[in-house]
Amino acid sequence: MTFDYKVKDLSLAEAGRHQIRLAEHEMPGLMALRAEFGEAQPLKGARIAGSLHMTVQTAVLIETLTALGAQVRWASCNIFSTQDEAAAAVVVGNGTPEDPQGVPVFAWKGESLEEYWWTAEQILTWPGADTNPELGPNMILDDGGDATLLVHKGVEFEAAGAVPEATEEDPEEYRLILETLRKSLAANPRKWTAVADGLLGVTEETTTGVHRLYQLAEQGKLLFPAINVNDAVTKSKFDNKYGIRHSLPDGINRATDVLMGGKTAVVCGYGDVGKGAAEALRGQGARVVVTEIDPICALQAAMDGYQVTTLDKVVGEGHIFITTTGNKDVIMASDMVKMRDKAIVGNIGHFDNEIDMAGLARVEGVQKVEIKPQVHEWVFAADPAAGTQQRSIIVLSEGRLLNLGNATGHPSFVMSNSFANQTIAQIELFTKAGTGEYAKQVYVLPKVLDEKVARLHLAALDVELTELTKEQAEYLDVDVAGPYKPDHYRY
Ligand code: NAI
């Protein structure tokens, strides 16, 4: 079998396969779905364009989708998050490095931004689809919304008849999207309309991507139905919180090996990710300070025992600064120059615009020293006039999500919850396409499926569930088999 792919090195496949084998043991949700649906092949005919961190856990997701009948092309949704051995193992599949038999993957650790957008285009460019649109992708599985964005922008510019020129204010990333689309439209002026016409839906993994989807839906611009996987309870209340609780300290340790105990750690944002981050840092003995803009989350942080104040007040005090907001311009260059010597600055929100990296590079006299890949010291020159000495800060993963750039992201068990939701969402949209059940809107999975995902993970943790009696169920006005809570319940 020959197919196109681009990964770092196929000889890493054996190492990747060992890790995937161990991950399968820690991913009971995905393995149960393989057992339940393997025979029925509900994803037969699905051609999934996947854009999600190409880790060992994602390898188990990809192989679950193919076990259920799907064809898949995959890219990472971040330039630093690929585990090269996992990518190699997925490409090799049941074959050998000389004769790969697996899935086309376009991902390697340390892509340039230009390469990143090339990989995004590759997952949406299926062999033969140029002449026969029926061979193109019919589903997207997205994380952060970049694959969905590329299709929507492509269609928009096709309708406008041209790709606009980037302006001075546009970030480099947007300039690269425009360039990618300009090239593809020069080769095939109807490419993106054809892709969009074939798409039956998208399932979106994360808060930031979901935010983009709701914006498109509100403007009436969403081109296909979407399932918001993030807001399944068994996703955001687990992956975003407990996943971060594990992978944030993992990233800080692998990057710096600095003792967190006794230090002052500033966590910007106290949503699901911020809650996991603050708990992890406190668990290491750090004194945690939280910043928030939302009074409810600020009050929660205070009740949980954290000092809540503004960044301005603690910028000279903190040893470690972590952004978790999904917002932009949270830590600016003007903040970073005020930090203490060797302060550590990192982001775990989806995009790198939380930290003003462009502004940092423009600070007068600043020097960037690579300590190792994804760990940089930014040295500020002494300013005798202001009486300041030379100081430096350590920035992780160039401001991109550090738990995936400096470590390997969330552990398998928690990702089994997220990815079981992804798999169920793909089945839901693909098998119900054409029934009229899903319009061009954003949906969350029904609670009964959320409860099912949780149930699939109980036995592995020796959880014994209490069963409602019939009388109790009647008293609560629920079914003995669930769902147990109304949709507005918040957990
Ligand atoms: P969320 O909406 O629950 O929490 C974000 C919090 O930040 C909110 O409470 C908001 O009020 C606060 N915030 C917004 N602007 C702020 C500012 N200027 N200063 C202080 N606080 C501010 O979102 P969630 O689920 O916690 O996700 C946060 C980000 O992390 C998103 O970009 C999401 O996509 C990403 N994410 C990253 C993961 C990873 O593995 N690194 C895993 C899951 C989500």
Side-chain angles (χ1 to χ4, degrees):
M1 184 165 64
T2 58
F3 57 89
D4 56 338
Y5 59 85
K6 189 163 164 55
V7 298
K8 172 123 189 271
D9 179 0
L10 286 190
S11 72
L12 298 170
E14 191 184 344
R17 184 53 56 188
H18 286 307
Q19 293 185 56
I20 291 169
R21 201 165 40 77
L22 294 189
E24 285 172 354
H25 184 256
E26 279 283 298
M27 301 187 88
L30 286 182
M31 299 315 274
L33 292 176
R34 285 191 202 181
E36 182 179 347
F37 293 111
E39 208 169 308
Q41 297 279 288
L43 293 177
K44 195 168 170 34
R47 293 181 299 280
I48 303 172
S51 167
L52 194 152
H53 311 290
M54 186 53 254
T55 62
V56 166
Q57 292 70 34
T58 302
V60 183
L61 168 63
I62 293 171
E63 292 180 351
T64 302
L65 297 170
T66 57
L68 270 48
Q71 284 175 275
V72 174
R73 286 169 81 83
W74 211 270
S76 202
C77 62
N78 182 281
I79 59 174
F80 294 136
S81 64
T82 296
Q83 283 171 262
D84 289 318
E85 65 278 21
V90 171
V91 171
V92 166
N94 290 328
T96 61
E98 294 70 37
D99 178 23
Q101 302 280 335
V103 163
V105 174
F106 303 84
W108 56 98
K109 191 175 181 79
E111 296 160 6
S112 68
L113 279 176
E114 207 163 6
E115 289 166 336
Y116 173 80
W117 286 104
W118 177 82
T119 68
E121 187 177 5
Q122 295 315 302
I123 60 168
L124 292 157
T125 309
W126 286 56
D130 248 7
T131 46
N132 179 3
E134 306 254 300
L135 299 175
N138 53 19
M139 296 292 295
I140 294 180
L141 192 158
D142 220 349
D143 182 349
D146 279 349
T148 305
L149 175 82
L150 199 60
V151 177
H152 280 77
K153 284 286 167 206
V155 170
E156 183 185 323
F157 299 149
E158 268 177 38
V163 177
E165 291 299 324
T167 66
E168 285 279 296
E169 287 94 69
D170 285 333
E172 193 198 354
E173 186 111 18
Y174 191 61
R175 189 175 54 73
L176 290 168
I177 298 174
L178 297 182
E179 240 165 64
T180 306
L181 289 171
R182 197 167 293 123
K183 268 190 229 150
S184 73
L185 289 178
N188 177 357
R190 289 262 312 145
K191 170 169 181 155
W192 297 102
T193 314
V195 168
D197 285 350
L199 285 167
L200 305 172
V202 55
T203 61
E204 169 56 54
E205 175 80 2
T206 199
T207 317
T208 287
V210 160
H211 181 65
R212 284 178 164 183
L213 286 173
Y214 282 110
Q215 279 179 328
L216 282 172
E218 270 161 33
Q219 297 160 0
K221 289 187 181 161
L222 187 61
L223 296 171
F224 31 78
I227 290 187
N228 162 0
V229 170
N230 181 68
D231 287 295
V233 180
T234 46
K235 199 285 182 181
S236 45
K237 298 290 167 188
F238 289 78
D239 164 327
N240 302 26
K241 182 177 178 193
Y242 306 120
I244 288 290
R245 189 176 68 180
H246 174 106
S247 64
L248 170 65
D250 190 8
I252 296 174
N253 281 330
R254 293 200 211 191
T256 67
D257 217 7
V258 155
L259 183 78
M260 289 174 246
K263 303 279 169 59
T264 298
V266 181
V267 174
C268 301
Y270 200 68
D272 291 321
V273 168
K275 288 178 176 75
E279 189 182 337
L281 291 160
R282 175 152 72 185
Q284 287 298 312
R287 184 173 81 84
V288 178
V289 180
V290 168
T291 73
E292 251 297 343
I293 50 110
D294 178 334
I296 297 179
C297 298
L299 188 60
Q300 277 182 314
M303 294 275 191
D304 285 339
Y306 301 110
Q307 181 191 351
V308 184
T309 185
T310 60
L311 183 62
D312 227 19
K313 294 253 172 67
V314 283
V315 77
E317 238 177 88
H319 298 85
I320 301 170
F321 294 83
I322 304 295
T323 54
T324 78
T325 69
N327 200 350
K328 65 172 190 170
D329 300 343
V330 177
I331 296 183
M332 303 306 287
S334 53
D335 300 313
M336 289 185 269
V337 296
K338 292 184 202 144
M339 289 176 181
R340 68 162 81 209
D341 195 26
K342 306 292 179 292
I344 295 167
V345 181
N347 164 47
I348 41 175
H350 191 79
F351 286 121
D352 62 336
N353 53 354
E354 304 212 14
I355 298 175
D356 177 21
M357 295 302 295
L360 182 60
R362 286 195 301 265
V363 171
E364 207 182 317
V366 76
Q367 281 192 325
K368 181 183 175 189
V369 180
E370 177 154 298
I371 306 292
K372 59 184 178 182
Q374 284 88 54
V375 182
H376 293 93
E377 183 181 21
W378 289 79
V379 185
F380 303 121
D383 182 352
T388 57
Q389 307 210 318
Q390 179 178 298
R391 273 170 312 120
S392 65
I393 60 168
I394 313 293
V395 179
L396 307 186
S397 287
E398 314 211 6
R400 292 169 197 278
L401 9 91
L402 77 95
N403 61 327
L404 282 135
N406 298 96
T408 51
H410 296 353
S412 301
F413 195 80
V414 86
M415 293 316 292
S416 178
N417 287 268
S418 307
F419 289 167
N421 281 299
Q422 275 287 5
T423 306
I424 289 171
Q426 285 281 321
I427 295 173
E428 186 71 13
L429 279 186
F430 180 69
T431 57
K432 303 231 168 113
T435 63
E437 197 168 326
Y438 291 101
K440 292 173 186 175
Q441 292 295 335
V442 188
Y443 299 87
V444 286
L445 284 169
K447 192 166 291 288
V448 65
L449 294 179
D450 225 340
E451 289 178 358
K452 172 179 172 166
V453 170
R455 236 180 247 285
L456 293 175
H457 293 88
L458 297 181
L461 301 180
D462 301 328
V463 173
E464 293 181 56
L465 205 57
T466 302
E467 250 182 66
L468 280 175
T469 64
K470 199 166 160 297
E471 291 72 26
Q472 284 178 318
E474 273 166 20
Y475 182 74
L476 291 179
D477 199 20
V478 297
D479 199 289
V480 172
Y484 303 101
K485 300 283 199 294
D487 281 341
H488 59 256
Y489 186 79
R490 294 193 180 89
Y491 298 86

